[in-house]
């Protein structure tokens, strides 16, 4: 499960939410994929936060709306709320919810009935209701969609930035390791070339010795033995080279993961 707080600059994230709430007069809060709050509550009304949600029954209904509400909708108490999904690609990583506004002058009697149902003082409920901002449903919908678009663009940019940094880090480490291995191969190659040169000299000396010794051939035998030892040494170096090449393949594979 992707956690927004693991990759996102939450100070900037909350600044976007705070500025939006001040500009629109709507309330908002963000929750993660697990449904837990990941931001402060901005512009929450007395009607909602101090009265409706302080009632056990009201809180139960509010939380149900938070979980199930999508787009712009009327909450259980009669205010307009919204719920916009936050996604990284196609994966839902949370949502931004809020609203807490009216689309028209409220019918007090309907809200008094809600107050009785959730066990809240009716007069306090109506007094708080009259402080709630009134916005057209069209303006509320446009504001909610705008906040969702801005936050989704922001968290996707933040996620890609962190992901790209991780890739670059792996590439940098892999490239450095590969360079070190290549240098070691070059060193081994130099040794191999030196051995080849010695083999040629010994082969030449062996030919001269054989010509001089005639049937005796003792010197040739000694030289031939040295040539054999050098051949074994070359074989060992070749094994080292093959091992290094295998390590390079591993590094390259990790860089491509």
């Amino acid at each position: 499960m992707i956690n927004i707080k693991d990759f996102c600059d939450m100070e900037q994230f909350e600044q976007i939410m705070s500025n939006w709430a001040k500009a629109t007069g709507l309330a908002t809060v963000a929750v993660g994929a697990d449904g837990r709050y990941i931001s402060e509550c901005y512009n929450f009304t007395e009607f909602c936060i101090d009265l409706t949600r302080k009632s056990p029954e009201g809180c139960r209904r509010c939380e149900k709306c938070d979980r199930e509400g999508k787009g712009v909708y009327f909450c259980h108490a009669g205010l307009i709320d919204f719920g916009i999904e936050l996604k990284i690609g196609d994966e839902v990583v949370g949502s931004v919810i809020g609203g807490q506004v009216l689309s028209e002058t409220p019918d007090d009697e309907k809200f008094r009935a809600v107050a009785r149902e959730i066990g809240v003082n009716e007069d306090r409920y109506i007094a708080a209701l009259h402080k709630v901002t009134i916005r057209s449903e069209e303006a509320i919908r446009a504001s909610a969609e705008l906040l969702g678009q801005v936050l989704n663009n922001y968290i996707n940019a933040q996620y890609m930035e962190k992901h790209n940094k991780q890739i670059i880090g792996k590439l940098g480490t892999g490239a450095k390791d590969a360079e070190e291995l290549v240098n070691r191969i070059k060193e081994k190659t130099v040794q191999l070339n030196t051995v080849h040169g010695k083999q040629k000299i010994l082969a030449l000396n062996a030919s001269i010795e054989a010509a001089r010794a005639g049937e005796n051939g003792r010197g040739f035998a000694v030289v031939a033995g040295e040539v054999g030892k050098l051949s074994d040494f070359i074989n060992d170096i070749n094994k080292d080279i093959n091992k290094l090449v295998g390590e390079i393949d591993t590094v390259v594979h990790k860089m491509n993961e």
Side-chain angles (χ1 to χ4, degrees), residues 53-226:
R53 287 180 183 263
K54 287 292 177 65
S55 155
E57 176 59 20
C59 186
R60 185 191 69 78
R61 294 183 182 186
C62 286
E63 289 177 349
K64 185 174 185 294
C65 284
D66 290 345
R67 289 193 304 270
E68 299 175 359
K70 296 290 186 296
V72 177
Y73 59 93
F74 282 92
C75 77
H76 71 95
L79 302 189
I80 292 185
D81 282 350
F82 64 83
I84 307 295
E85 291 181 335
L86 298 177
K87 294 182 175 182
I88 298 297
D90 294 328
E91 182 174 350
V92 177
V93 296
S95 62
V96 56
I97 56 180
Q100 299 183 12
V101 290
L102 292 162
S103 60
E104 58 184 10
T105 302
D107 180 341
D108 287 1
E109 288 307 313
K110 288 183 178 179
F111 284 90
R112 285 185 181 277
V114 173
R116 290 193 293 271
E117 289 174 5
I118 64 176
V120 174
N121 180 276
E122 293 182 36
D123 292 335
R124 285 191 62 195
Y125 210 53
I126 298 303
L129 173 68
H130 289 171
K131 298 177 185 178
V132 174
T133 300
I134 298 177
R135 292 281 189 276
S136 70
E137 188 172 344
E138 182 181 6
I140 296 166
R141 189 178 304 279
S143 297
E145 290 177 354
L146 176 62
L147 178 61
Q149 290 170 359
V150 171
L151 287 179
N152 270 300
N153 288 340
Y154 180 71
I155 65 173
N156 275 272
Q158 290 271 292
Y159 181 79
M160 290 306 299
E161 180 181 7
K162 181 174 181 179
H163 184 64
N164 288 340
K165 284 181 178 179
Q166 290 174 339
I167 291 175
I168 292 172
K170 288 181 179 180
L171 287 174
T173 302
K176 183 178 179 181
D177 290 344
E179 183 179 4
E180 291 177 356
L181 292 173
V182 168
N183 289 334
R184 287 167 61 188
I185 289 175
K186 289 179 179 179
E187 292 175 2
K188 293 294 184 180
T189 302
V190 170
Q191 295 179 34
L192 185 60
N193 290 335
T194 300
V195 171
H196 276 307
K198 289 182 178 180
Q199 277 187 310
K200 290 179 181 179
I201 292 172
L202 284 174
L204 178 60
N205 288 339
S207 298
I208 294 172
E209 184 66 22
R212 290 178 178 176
E215 295 295 329
N216 195 334
R218 292 179 180 176
F220 176 82
V222 173
V223 174
E226 291 299 320

Side-chain angles (χ1 to χ4, degrees), residues 33-53:
D34 59 1
R36 296 182 180 181
Y37 293 137
I38 59 172
S39 77
E40 296 293 330
C41 297
Y42 294 99
N43 224 19
F44 269 46
T45 62
E46 176 190 1
F47 178 88
C48 289
I49 199 72
D50 293 332
L51 295 173
T52 306
R53 287 180 183 263

